[in-house]
Amino acid sequence: EAGVAQSPRYKIIEKRQSVAFWCNPISGHATLYWYQQILGQGPKLLIQFQNNGVVDDSQLPKDRFSAERLKGVDSTLKIQPAKLEDSAVYLCASSLASGRAYEQYFGPGTRLTVT
Amino acid sequence: QQQVKQSPQSLIVQKGGISIINCAYENTAFDYFPWYQQFPGKGPALLIAIRPDVSEKKEGRFTISFNKSAKQFSLHIMDSQPGDSATYFCAATGEYALNFGKGTSLLVTP
């Protein structure tokens, strides 16, 4: 079974530029998550989708971050404009459904460096 | 606000030794406590998980000990191997969001 795919793997941008990340979850997984992992810290949930609807986006900085999951499959996360503190690894994960009973499978992440 | 506190930040263990990582939480609504293992350049992968109705769960060389009254849980890696060298994260959740600790970087020396 193919895992969670993410691209690009690495991205370097200057502050105030915009950037987009793409995620393709495991086939059949209804729930998709975006996490931000700052160096030396654990992943922090940014947004959770159930199919193409948002379940939780309470920690998403909505003034600069946006995410969508059209057709309930692939998802994109965008940052516009980027700040230095956005430098982090952005992880996408998916699970069969929402809830603690369903294991989350993580992709390899996109490492973003903002200069 | 860090909902899950993890220690130590880093750990060096000799091959064959026992690695112990500790976590503490405050929110009594948490009822699922997984541990994740992360290798460089990879996403975290579920290692083992426990619910608060049991005090211990063992899977191979990995054991979770859970103390509900103290709101603490720990991961024990028995007979640690160099291949176990990775970053380990504890986490806790109620209904939805996983709340991760800051991670422990484990190095197992030959």
Side-chain angles (χ1 to χ4, degrees):
Chain A
E1 155 179 282
V4 176
Q6 291 188 246
S7 68
R9 292 296 312 276
Y10 306 91
K11 190 74 176 178
I12 301 173
I13 62 172
E14 295 182 349
K15 60 183 180 183
R16 292 187 289 274
Q17 285 187 325
S18 62
V19 64
F21 313 125
W22 173 81
C23 172
N24 183 243
I26 293 172
S27 177
H29 280 195
T31 308
L32 186 147
Y33 314 78
W34 283 102
Y35 289 86
Q36 180 192 58
Q37 186 176 19
I38 293 173
L39 185 65
Q41 297 186 21
K44 182 186 81 171
L45 180 69
L46 293 175
I47 188 168
Q48 176 182 341
F49 292 95
Q50 176 71 18
N51 296 309
N52 60 350
V54 176
V55 174
D56 181 1
D57 65 355
S58 58
Q59 299 194 82
L60 186 73
K62 298 180 186 65
D63 58 333
R64 298 184 301 106
F65 286 64
S66 65
E68 60 181 9
R69 191 183 184 198
L70 300 176
K71 301 180 181 178
V73 182
D74 293 7
S75 177
T76 56
L77 176 69
K78 297 179 181 178
I79 308 175
Q80 182 178 14
K83 293 185 175 181
L84 295 177
E85 58 261 36
D86 298 332
S87 294
V89 174
Y90 290 85
L91 295 163
C92 179
S94 70
S95 61
L96 275 172
S98 289
R100 64 183 81 74
Y102 298 94
E103 180 179 349
Q104 295 185 28
Y105 294 84
F106 285 81
T110 296
R111 181 176 296 277
L112 173 67
T113 302
V114 182
T115 63
Chain B
Q1 181 186 358
Q2 192 74 24
Q3 299 225 41
V4 180
K5 295 183 179 180
Q6 182 173 347
S7 63
Q9 185 176 344
S10 62
L11 183 61
I12 300 175
V13 173
Q14 284 194 332
K15 179 181 176 181
I18 302 174
S19 303
I20 302 174
I21 305 170
N22 300 299
C23 286
Y25 65 98
E26 287 297 324
N27 191 337
T28 55
F30 291 153
D31 62 357
Y32 179 67
F33 303 88
W35 285 87
Y36 284 80
Q37 180 187 55
Q38 186 175 28
F39 292 104
K42 305 289 186 182
L46 180 65
L47 191 61
I48 186 172
I50 196 168
R51 298 190 187 280
D53 53 346
V54 297
S55 60
E56 185 175 282
K57 183 175 181 179
K58 183 176 181 180
E59 289 185 1
R61 296 184 294 109
F62 301 90
T63 299
I64 300 178
S65 297
F66 188 84
N67 186 329
K68 187 174 181 178
S69 61
K71 292 187 286 186
Q72 296 175 347
F73 57 111
S74 60
L75 175 70
H76 292 62
I77 306 174
M78 312 300 287
D79 187 25
S80 298
Q81 299 296 311
D84 296 331
S85 298
T87 300
Y88 292 81
F89 294 94
C90 62
T93 185
E95 186 63 28
Y96 295 111
L98 279 170
N99 299 276
F100 285 87
K102 289 191 173 184
T104 295
S105 179
L106 171 64
L107 175 64
V108 181
T109 60

Short mmCIF file of all heavy atoms in Angstrom, two decimals, chain A residues 9 33 35 37 40-45 48 55-56 59 91 98-101 103-109, chain B residues 2 9 29 31-32 36 38 41-46 51 89 93-103:
data_model
loop_
_atom_site.label_atom_id
_atom_site.label_comp_id
_atom_site.label_asym_id
_atom_site.label_seq_id
_atom_site.Cartn_x
_atom_site.Cartn_y
_atom_site.Cartn_z
N ARG A 9 9.75 18.20 -1.22
CA ARG A 9 10.37 17.75 0.02
C ARG A 9 11.09 18.88 0.72
O ARG A 9 11.19 18.91 1.94
CB ARG A 9 11.35 16.61 -0.27
CG ARG A 9 10.71 15.32 -0.73
CD ARG A 9 9.80 14.70 0.36
NE ARG A 9 10.45 14.65 1.66
CZ ARG A 9 11.27 13.69 2.05
NH1 ARG A 9 11.54 12.68 1.24
NH2 ARG A 9 11.82 13.72 3.25
N TYR A 33 -4.77 15.39 7.83
CA TYR A 33 -4.26 16.34 8.81
C TYR A 33 -3.03 17.05 8.24
O TYR A 33 -2.21 16.44 7.55
CB TYR A 33 -3.80 15.62 10.09
CG TYR A 33 -4.75 14.58 10.64
CD1 TYR A 33 -4.83 13.32 10.07
CD2 TYR A 33 -5.53 14.86 11.76
CE1 TYR A 33 -5.68 12.35 10.60
CE2 TYR A 33 -6.37 13.90 12.30
CZ TYR A 33 -6.45 12.64 11.71
OH TYR A 33 -7.28 11.69 12.23
N TYR A 35 0.22 19.10 9.94
CA TYR A 35 0.94 19.43 11.16
C TYR A 35 2.13 20.33 10.82
O TYR A 35 2.73 20.21 9.76
CB TYR A 35 1.48 18.18 11.84
CG TYR A 35 0.46 17.27 12.48
CD1 TYR A 35 -0.18 16.29 11.74
CD2 TYR A 35 0.18 17.37 13.84
CE1 TYR A 35 -1.11 15.44 12.35
CE2 TYR A 35 -0.73 16.53 14.45
CZ TYR A 35 -1.37 15.56 13.70
OH TYR A 35 -2.27 14.71 14.29
N GLN A 37 5.90 21.07 12.36
CA GLN A 37 6.90 20.57 13.31
C GLN A 37 8.12 21.49 13.27
O GLN A 37 8.92 21.43 12.34
CB GLN A 37 7.31 19.13 12.99
CG GLN A 37 8.24 18.54 14.04
CD GLN A 37 8.57 17.08 13.80
OE1 GLN A 37 8.41 16.55 12.70
NE2 GLN A 37 9.02 16.40 14.84
N GLY A 40 13.09 20.64 17.05
CA GLY A 40 13.20 20.43 18.48
C GLY A 40 11.86 20.33 19.19
O GLY A 40 11.82 20.26 20.42
N GLN A 41 10.78 20.31 18.42
CA GLN A 41 9.45 20.21 19.03
C GLN A 41 8.64 19.09 18.37
O GLN A 41 8.99 18.59 17.30
CB GLN A 41 8.71 21.53 18.91
CG GLN A 41 9.38 22.68 19.66
CD GLN A 41 8.55 23.93 19.63
OE1 GLN A 41 7.33 23.89 19.40
NE2 GLN A 41 9.19 25.07 19.87
N GLY A 42 7.57 18.72 19.02
CA GLY A 42 6.68 17.74 18.44
C GLY A 42 5.75 18.38 17.43
O GLY A 42 5.59 19.61 17.41
N PRO A 43 5.15 17.59 16.58
CA PRO A 43 4.21 18.13 15.60
C PRO A 43 3.02 18.82 16.27
O PRO A 43 2.54 18.37 17.30
CB PRO A 43 3.75 16.89 14.83
CG PRO A 43 4.81 15.86 15.06
CD PRO A 43 5.32 16.14 16.43
N LYS A 44 2.58 19.92 15.66
CA LYS A 44 1.41 20.65 16.14
C LYS A 44 0.36 20.65 15.04
O LYS A 44 0.65 21.04 13.90
CB LYS A 44 1.79 22.08 16.51
CG LYS A 44 0.62 22.90 17.08
CD LYS A 44 1.01 24.35 17.31
CE LYS A 44 0.96 25.15 16.03
NZ LYS A 44 1.13 26.61 16.26
N LEU A 45 -0.85 20.23 15.38
CA LEU A 45 -1.91 20.17 14.39
C LEU A 45 -2.29 21.57 13.92
O LEU A 45 -2.55 22.46 14.72
CB LEU A 45 -3.15 19.49 14.98
CG LEU A 45 -4.34 19.37 14.02
CD1 LEU A 45 -4.04 18.38 12.91
CD2 LEU A 45 -5.60 18.97 14.78
N GLN A 48 -7.49 19.84 10.36
CA GLN A 48 -7.94 18.47 10.13
C GLN A 48 -9.18 18.51 9.23
O GLN A 48 -10.11 19.27 9.48
CB GLN A 48 -8.29 17.81 11.46
CG GLN A 48 -8.86 16.40 11.32
CD GLN A 48 -9.25 15.78 12.65
OE1 GLN A 48 -8.81 16.22 13.70
NE2 GLN A 48 -10.08 14.75 12.60
N VAL A 55 -12.70 19.84 10.14
CA VAL A 55 -13.11 19.39 11.47
C VAL A 55 -12.53 20.31 12.54
O VAL A 55 -13.21 20.66 13.50
CB VAL A 55 -12.64 17.94 11.72
CG1 VAL A 55 -12.93 17.52 13.16
CG2 VAL A 55 -13.31 16.99 10.74
N ASP A 56 -11.26 20.68 12.38
CA ASP A 56 -10.58 21.50 13.39
C ASP A 56 -9.53 22.34 12.71
O ASP A 56 -8.63 21.79 12.07
CB ASP A 56 -9.95 20.59 14.45
CG ASP A 56 -9.25 21.36 15.56
OD1 ASP A 56 -9.25 22.60 15.55
OD2 ASP A 56 -8.68 20.70 16.47
N GLN A 59 -5.89 25.96 15.39
CA GLN A 59 -4.51 26.41 15.54
C GLN A 59 -3.91 26.85 14.21
O GLN A 59 -2.69 27.04 14.13
CB GLN A 59 -3.66 25.29 16.17
CG GLN A 59 -4.14 24.91 17.57
CD GLN A 59 -3.12 24.08 18.32
OE1 GLN A 59 -2.18 24.61 18.89
NE2 GLN A 59 -3.31 22.78 18.30
N LEU A 91 4.07 18.47 7.97
CA LEU A 91 3.72 17.06 7.83
C LEU A 91 2.26 16.90 7.48
O LEU A 91 1.39 17.57 8.05
CB LEU A 91 3.98 16.33 9.15
CG LEU A 91 5.43 16.23 9.64
CD1 LEU A 91 5.47 15.86 11.11
CD2 LEU A 91 6.19 15.21 8.82
N SER A 98 -11.99 9.86 11.44
CA SER A 98 -11.62 10.68 12.59
C SER A 98 -11.73 9.87 13.87
O SER A 98 -12.48 8.92 13.96
CB SER A 98 -12.54 11.90 12.69
OG SER A 98 -12.28 12.81 11.67
N GLY A 99 -10.98 10.31 14.87
CA GLY A 99 -11.11 9.67 16.16
C GLY A 99 -9.87 8.91 16.57
O GLY A 99 -9.08 8.46 15.75
N ARG A 100 -9.72 8.73 17.85
CA ARG A 100 -8.51 8.13 18.41
C ARG A 100 -8.33 6.69 17.99
O ARG A 100 -7.22 6.17 18.02
CB ARG A 100 -8.57 8.22 19.93
CG ARG A 100 -9.70 7.42 20.53
CD ARG A 100 -9.78 7.58 22.04
NE ARG A 100 -10.46 8.78 22.46
CZ ARG A 100 -11.76 8.99 22.40
NH1 ARG A 100 -12.54 8.07 21.90
NH2 ARG A 100 -12.28 10.11 22.84
N ALA A 101 -9.35 6.03 17.59
CA ALA A 101 -9.24 4.62 17.24
C ALA A 101 -8.54 4.40 15.91
O ALA A 101 -8.15 3.27 15.60
CB ALA A 101 -10.63 3.99 17.19
N GLU A 103 -5.46 4.91 13.39
CA GLU A 103 -4.06 5.29 13.33
C GLU A 103 -3.82 6.34 12.25
O GLU A 103 -4.36 6.24 11.15
CB GLU A 103 -3.19 4.07 13.04
CG GLU A 103 -1.70 4.37 12.95
CD GLU A 103 -0.87 3.14 12.70
OE1 GLU A 103 -1.41 2.02 12.81
OE2 GLU A 103 0.32 3.29 12.37
N GLN A 104 -3.00 7.32 12.60
CA GLN A 104 -2.60 8.33 11.63
C GLN A 104 -1.29 7.91 10.98
O GLN A 104 -0.34 7.54 11.67
CB GLN A 104 -2.43 9.69 12.32
CG GLN A 104 -3.72 10.26 12.90
CD GLN A 104 -3.53 11.65 13.46
OE1 GLN A 104 -2.68 12.42 13.02
NE2 GLN A 104 -4.35 12.00 14.44
N TYR A 105 -1.26 7.97 9.67
CA TYR A 105 -0.06 7.65 8.91
C TYR A 105 0.51 8.96 8.37
O TYR A 105 -0.19 9.71 7.70
CB TYR A 105 -0.40 6.71 7.75
CG TYR A 105 -0.87 5.35 8.19
CD1 TYR A 105 -2.21 5.13 8.54
CD2 TYR A 105 0.02 4.28 8.29
CE1 TYR A 105 -2.64 3.89 8.96
CE2 TYR A 105 -0.42 3.03 8.71
CZ TYR A 105 -1.75 2.84 9.04
OH TYR A 105 -2.17 1.61 9.46
N PHE A 106 1.79 9.17 8.66
CA PHE A 106 2.42 10.44 8.30
C PHE A 106 3.22 10.31 7.00
O PHE A 106 3.85 9.29 6.73
CB PHE A 106 3.37 10.90 9.40
CG PHE A 106 2.68 11.46 10.60
CD1 PHE A 106 2.15 10.62 11.58
CD2 PHE A 106 2.55 12.82 10.77
CE1 PHE A 106 1.50 11.14 12.69
CE2 PHE A 106 1.91 13.35 11.89
CZ PHE A 106 1.39 12.50 12.85
N GLY A 107 3.23 11.39 6.24
CA GLY A 107 4.12 11.50 5.10
C GLY A 107 5.50 11.94 5.55
O GLY A 107 5.71 12.20 6.74
N PRO A 108 6.45 12.06 4.60
CA PRO A 108 7.83 12.41 4.96
C PRO A 108 8.01 13.88 5.32
O PRO A 108 9.02 14.26 5.89
CB PRO A 108 8.63 12.06 3.71
CG PRO A 108 7.63 12.21 2.61
CD PRO A 108 6.31 11.77 3.19
N GLY A 109 7.04 14.71 4.96
CA GLY A 109 7.12 16.12 5.30
C GLY A 109 7.76 16.98 4.23
O GLY A 109 8.48 16.49 3.35
N GLN B 2 2.07 23.76 26.58
CA GLN B 2 2.46 22.39 26.29
C GLN B 2 1.56 21.47 27.08
O GLN B 2 1.62 21.41 28.31
CB GLN B 2 3.93 22.18 26.68
CG GLN B 2 4.54 20.91 26.19
CD GLN B 2 4.83 20.94 24.69
OE1 GLN B 2 5.00 21.99 24.09
NE2 GLN B 2 4.88 19.78 24.08
N GLN B 9 15.25 15.20 27.14
CA GLN B 9 15.32 15.74 25.78
C GLN B 9 16.19 14.85 24.91
O GLN B 9 15.94 14.70 23.72
CB GLN B 9 15.88 17.15 25.83
CG GLN B 9 15.89 17.87 24.49
CD GLN B 9 16.36 19.31 24.64
OE1 GLN B 9 16.39 19.86 25.74
NE2 GLN B 9 16.71 19.93 23.54
N ALA B 29 -9.20 14.68 30.36
CA ALA B 29 -10.06 14.22 29.27
C ALA B 29 -9.29 13.36 28.26
O ALA B 29 -9.90 12.67 27.45
CB ALA B 29 -10.67 15.42 28.54
N ASP B 31 -7.65 10.28 26.76
CA ASP B 31 -7.90 8.86 27.03
C ASP B 31 -7.23 7.93 26.02
O ASP B 31 -7.61 6.77 25.88
CB ASP B 31 -9.40 8.59 27.08
CG ASP B 31 -10.10 8.89 25.75
OD1 ASP B 31 -9.41 9.36 24.83
OD2 ASP B 31 -11.30 8.65 25.66
N TYR B 32 -6.22 8.44 25.34
CA TYR B 32 -5.47 7.61 24.40
C TYR B 32 -4.07 8.16 24.34
O TYR B 32 -3.88 9.37 24.14
CB TYR B 32 -6.15 7.65 23.02
CG TYR B 32 -5.45 6.83 21.95
CD1 TYR B 32 -5.39 5.45 22.01
CD2 TYR B 32 -4.88 7.46 20.84
CE1 TYR B 32 -4.77 4.71 21.02
CE2 TYR B 32 -4.26 6.73 19.84
CZ TYR B 32 -4.21 5.36 19.94
OH TYR B 32 -3.61 4.62 18.96
N TYR B 36 5.22 7.67 19.24
CA TYR B 36 5.64 7.68 17.86
C TYR B 36 7.17 7.65 17.77
O TYR B 36 7.87 8.21 18.62
CB TYR B 36 5.13 8.93 17.13
CG TYR B 36 3.66 8.86 16.78
CD1 TYR B 36 2.69 9.12 17.73
CD2 TYR B 36 3.26 8.51 15.50
CE1 TYR B 36 1.34 9.04 17.42
CE2 TYR B 36 1.91 8.43 15.17
CZ TYR B 36 0.97 8.69 16.13
OH TYR B 36 -0.36 8.60 15.81
N GLN B 38 10.36 8.54 15.13
CA GLN B 38 10.66 9.31 13.93
C GLN B 38 12.15 9.22 13.60
O GLN B 38 12.99 9.58 14.42
CB GLN B 38 10.24 10.77 14.09
CG GLN B 38 10.40 11.60 12.82
CD GLN B 38 9.87 13.02 12.98
OE1 GLN B 38 9.86 13.58 14.06
NE2 GLN B 38 9.44 13.62 11.86
N GLY B 41 14.38 12.66 8.36
CA GLY B 41 13.83 12.74 7.02
C GLY B 41 12.55 11.96 6.81
O GLY B 41 12.05 11.89 5.68
N LYS B 42 12.02 11.40 7.87
CA LYS B 42 10.78 10.64 7.77
C LYS B 42 9.72 11.24 8.67
O LYS B 42 10.01 11.98 9.61
CB LYS B 42 11.02 9.17 8.19
CG LYS B 42 12.12 8.47 7.43
CD LYS B 42 11.73 8.17 6.00
CE LYS B 42 12.78 7.33 5.31
NZ LYS B 42 12.42 7.07 3.89
N GLY B 43 8.47 10.90 8.39
CA GLY B 43 7.41 11.31 9.29
C GLY B 43 7.33 10.38 10.49
O GLY B 43 7.86 9.27 10.46
N PRO B 44 6.68 10.80 11.55
CA PRO B 44 6.51 9.93 12.72
C PRO B 44 5.70 8.69 12.36
O PRO B 44 4.82 8.74 11.51
CB PRO B 44 5.74 10.81 13.72
CG PRO B 44 5.93 12.21 13.24
CD PRO B 44 6.07 12.12 11.75
N ALA B 45 6.00 7.59 13.03
CA ALA B 45 5.27 6.34 12.82
C ALA B 45 4.82 5.81 14.17
O ALA B 45 5.61 5.81 15.13
CB ALA B 45 6.14 5.31 12.10
N LEU B 46 3.58 5.35 14.24
CA LEU B 46 3.04 4.83 15.50
C LEU B 46 3.84 3.60 15.93
O LEU B 46 4.03 2.66 15.16
CB LEU B 46 1.57 4.47 15.32
CG LEU B 46 0.88 3.90 16.55
CD1 LEU B 46 0.83 4.95 17.67
CD2 LEU B 46 -0.53 3.43 16.21
N ARG B 51 -4.46 2.78 26.47
CA ARG B 51 -5.62 3.48 27.01
C ARG B 51 -5.52 3.45 28.53
O ARG B 51 -4.92 2.54 29.10
CB ARG B 51 -6.91 2.83 26.52
CG ARG B 51 -7.06 2.88 25.02
CD ARG B 51 -8.44 2.44 24.56
NE ARG B 51 -8.50 2.34 23.11
CZ ARG B 51 -8.66 3.37 22.29
NH1 ARG B 51 -8.77 4.59 22.79
NH2 ARG B 51 -8.70 3.21 20.99
N PHE B 89 8.38 10.43 20.33
CA PHE B 89 7.40 11.39 20.80
C PHE B 89 6.29 10.67 21.53
O PHE B 89 5.72 9.70 21.02
CB PHE B 89 6.77 12.16 19.63
CG PHE B 89 7.71 13.05 18.88
CD1 PHE B 89 8.35 12.60 17.74
CD2 PHE B 89 7.96 14.34 19.31
CE1 PHE B 89 9.22 13.42 17.03
CE2 PHE B 89 8.82 15.18 18.62
CZ PHE B 89 9.46 14.70 17.49
N THR B 93 -4.44 12.27 23.53
CA THR B 93 -5.59 12.81 22.82
C THR B 93 -6.88 12.45 23.53
O THR B 93 -6.95 11.47 24.26
CB THR B 93 -5.62 12.31 21.37
OG1 THR B 93 -6.68 12.95 20.66
CG2 THR B 93 -5.84 10.81 21.32
N GLY B 94 -7.87 13.29 23.29
CA GLY B 94 -9.22 12.99 23.72
C GLY B 94 -10.00 12.55 22.51
O GLY B 94 -9.85 11.42 22.04
N GLU B 95 -10.79 13.43 21.95
CA GLU B 95 -11.61 13.05 20.82
C GLU B 95 -10.89 13.11 19.49
O GLU B 95 -11.01 12.23 18.66
CB GLU B 95 -12.86 13.95 20.77
CG GLU B 95 -13.87 13.56 19.71
CD GLU B 95 -14.47 12.18 19.92
OE1 GLU B 95 -14.54 11.73 21.09
OE2 GLU B 95 -14.83 11.53 18.93
N TYR B 96 -10.11 14.17 19.29
CA TYR B 96 -9.54 14.37 17.96
C TYR B 96 -8.04 14.60 17.96
O TYR B 96 -7.27 13.75 17.61
CB TYR B 96 -10.24 15.53 17.26
CG TYR B 96 -11.69 15.28 16.96
CD1 TYR B 96 -12.69 15.97 17.62
CD2 TYR B 96 -12.06 14.32 16.02
CE1 TYR B 96 -14.01 15.72 17.35
CE2 TYR B 96 -13.39 14.07 15.74
CZ TYR B 96 -14.36 14.77 16.41
OH TYR B 96 -15.68 14.53 16.14
N ALA B 97 -7.61 15.81 18.30
CA ALA B 97 -6.25 16.24 18.04
C ALA B 97 -5.23 15.51 18.90
O ALA B 97 -5.41 15.36 20.10
CB ALA B 97 -6.12 17.75 18.26
N LEU B 98 -4.16 15.06 18.26
CA LEU B 98 -3.02 14.51 18.98
C LEU B 98 -2.20 15.66 19.54
O LEU B 98 -1.85 16.57 18.81
CB LEU B 98 -2.16 13.67 18.05
CG LEU B 98 -2.59 12.23 17.76
CD1 LEU B 98 -1.75 11.64 16.65
CD2 LEU B 98 -2.50 11.38 19.01
N ASN B 99 -1.89 15.60 20.83
CA ASN B 99 -1.01 16.59 21.46
C ASN B 99 0.32 15.91 21.75
O ASN B 99 0.40 14.99 22.55
CB ASN B 99 -1.63 17.08 22.78
CG ASN B 99 -2.97 17.74 22.57
OD1 ASN B 99 -3.05 18.93 22.25
ND2 ASN B 99 -4.04 16.99 22.72
N PHE B 100 1.35 16.38 21.06
CA PHE B 100 2.66 15.74 21.14
C PHE B 100 3.55 16.37 22.20
O PHE B 100 3.48 17.58 22.44
CB PHE B 100 3.38 15.84 19.80
CG PHE B 100 2.86 14.93 18.74
CD1 PHE B 100 1.80 15.31 17.93
CD2 PHE B 100 3.44 13.68 18.52
CE1 PHE B 100 1.31 14.47 16.93
CE2 PHE B 100 2.96 12.83 17.53
CZ PHE B 100 1.89 13.23 16.74
N GLY B 101 4.42 15.55 22.81
CA GLY B 101 5.51 16.06 23.60
C GLY B 101 6.59 16.61 22.68
O GLY B 101 6.49 16.51 21.45
N LYS B 102 7.64 17.17 23.27
CA LYS B 102 8.70 17.81 22.48
C LYS B 102 9.68 16.81 21.88
O LYS B 102 10.49 17.17 21.03
CB LYS B 102 9.44 18.84 23.32
CG LYS B 102 8.62 20.08 23.62
CD LYS B 102 9.48 21.18 24.20
CE LYS B 102 8.69 22.47 24.33
NZ LYS B 102 9.52 23.60 24.80
N GLY B 103 9.61 15.57 22.31
CA GLY B 103 10.47 14.56 21.72
C GLY B 103 11.72 14.24 22.53
O GLY B 103 12.22 15.09 23.27
#
